[in-house]
Amino acid sequence: MNELIGEVLSKDIDTKEKYRVSEIKVKSLLTVGKVNESINAALDFRRQLGLPAPQKKPASKFTIIREYIRVKKLLKDKTAEDIANLPELDDERYEMGQRMNEHLATSVYLVEPTMLPLVIFQSVTTSLKHGLSPTSSPAFARLGLLLCGPFGKPHEGREMAKAAELILERPGMRSSTSNTIFVTQSFCYHWTSPLHDSIEPLLKGYQVGLEIGDNVKACYCLVGRMYYLFFTGRTLDSIQQELEAAANVMTQLKQDENELKITILLSSVKKLRGLDAEACDEMLDSILASAAETRNNLSAYVSVMKLECATLS
């Protein structure tokens, strides 16, 4: 497949057609685990468009702070409403660049997370300077993530999350609904609001995701909702029923990693209920061993739930 993609890209074709093929290449490389190659392909295409692209290397704190200050100056005193009322992006070149940044935001987090702030700042800068597109909503949501977490500014981050959700209300923005809700409800609002307040929005993110065909982000929302049900004190028997139903959904949609996240929580719930605790421990240990080999974030899920089980048992 990569040979065919390379052959197409080597031809003198329209930029929009080249974008479509490049996007297929970026997504296919990420799907088969070739994350670094996926990043390179996305960065290369942005450069072909004549747009800035961060260097593929760890970003220093100085660089991150410098770029944040630039974004801060562009934001000035804009409220969430001011941001959501910005004009629409009508430049195809910038729109294609924004979409590539959307793919980059997913991939750089996996192998070089210090690049993520730079990708976010670029996307937000383009939105502020050139207008809003469907990619603007998750971009401002991720800016909220940065402000709430690493930058320690939860109230400013909440305002960016609000801006992201207001952008969704504009015509033509629905395609980013699940992605945006996942980020705002998982990484922004819990700093200033009870976890319980995010359960219903995450369900909406799941439902809309299925409607628009964004199964990956829909399942992200479903996983988030399941864990929030646990951490907000829902009874274990009711959680188990929902988890078993969610696991079936993940199987049907072929969402293997999300299914494992559900399995981790389900095994922990069963263990806390005294249902075949030994088999549950074996399942968690198996997932942990596999995660250590593949270096994914499932190990964090297992470790947190093992700690919960030890604390609550």
Side-chain angles (χ1 to χ4, degrees), residues 147-148 152-161 191-192:
L147 290 170
C148 288
K153 300 175 181 290
H155 294 288
E156 291 183 27
R158 186 183 181 92
E159 189 72 6
M160 294 301 102
W191 294 93
T192 54

Side-chain angles (χ1 to χ4, degrees), residues 109 144-145 148-149 182-191 228:
Y109 176 77
L145 176 158
C148 288
F182 168 69
V183 176
T184 58
Q185 300 299 332
S186 300
F187 300 103
C188 299
Y189 288 129
H190 73 278
W191 294 93
Y228 277 16

Side-chain angles (χ1 to χ4, degrees), residues 47-277:
R47 295 187 183 106
Q48 288 177 36
L49 291 172
L51 299 175
Q55 291 183 303
K56 188 172 171 291
K57 66 178 185 179
S60 66
K61 289 183 179 180
F62 172 80
T63 300
I64 293 170
I65 295 299
R66 182 192 65 202
E67 297 306 310
Y68 167 66
I69 291 172
R70 289 177 177 172
V71 169
K72 186 75 172 173
K73 288 180 178 178
L74 286 173
L75 283 169
K76 296 182 182 177
D77 297 320
K78 287 184 176 64
T79 64
E81 290 76 11
D82 293 332
I83 293 169
N85 286 322
L86 288 169
E88 186 175 336
L89 177 63
D90 61 359
D91 187 313
E92 288 185 346
R93 185 169 65 99
Y94 281 108
E95 172 60 23
M96 289 185 284
Q98 289 285 73
R99 290 177 186 170
M100 278 300 170
N101 265 354
E102 185 66 20
H103 296 306
L104 280 169
T106 299
S107 53
V108 298
Y109 176 77
L110 298 173
V111 296
E112 191 47 71
T114 60
M115 287 179 64
L116 179 59
L118 304 185
V119 173
I120 294 171
F121 296 150
Q122 276 189 351
S123 297
V124 170
T125 296
T126 299
S127 296
L128 291 170
K129 285 185 174 182
H130 303 284
L132 302 178
S133 68
T135 57
S136 299
S137 181
F140 280 100
R142 292 190 186 101
L143 179 58
L145 176 158
L146 291 178
L147 290 170
C148 288
F151 284 84
K153 300 175 181 290
H155 294 288
E156 291 183 27
R158 186 183 181 92
E159 189 72 6
M160 294 301 102
K162 181 181 176 183
E165 293 180 346
L166 288 174
I167 292 170
L168 288 178
E169 297 177 6
R170 294 177 52 150
M173 303 294 180
R174 193 166 185 259
S175 61
S176 296
T177 300
S178 295
N179 194 1
T180 300
I181 289 177
F182 168 69
V183 176
T184 58
Q185 300 299 332
S186 300
F187 300 103
C188 299
Y189 288 129
H190 73 278
W191 294 93
T192 54
S193 300
L195 283 182
H196 186 271
D197 291 353
S198 291
I199 292 175
E200 193 64 28
L202 285 168
L203 178 59
K204 176 186 175 183
Y206 165 67
Q207 293 169 336
V208 174
L210 293 184
E211 291 172 7
I212 63 178
D214 189 358
N215 292 342
V216 174
K217 298 305 191 300
C219 290
Y220 283 178
C221 289
L222 183 58
V223 169
R225 180 177 183 274
M226 292 296 105
Y227 276 84
Y228 277 16
L229 288 176
F230 176 83
F231 286 112
T232 53
R234 180 74 66 88
T235 59
L236 295 179
D237 58 338
S238 67
I239 294 176
Q240 182 175 335
Q241 292 175 14
E242 291 212 37
L243 284 169
E244 288 170 346
N248 289 331
V249 169
M250 300 299 178
T251 300
Q252 293 171 15
L253 297 178
K254 299 181 180 179
Q255 296 294 313
D256 296 341
E257 184 171 331
N258 283 315
E259 185 176 355
L260 285 173
K261 292 173 184 176
I262 293 295
T263 300
I264 291 166
L265 183 55
L266 179 57
S267 297
S268 302
V269 167
K270 285 182 175 179
K271 181 178 178 181
L272 288 170
R273 296 189 69 200
L275 303 175
D276 204 352

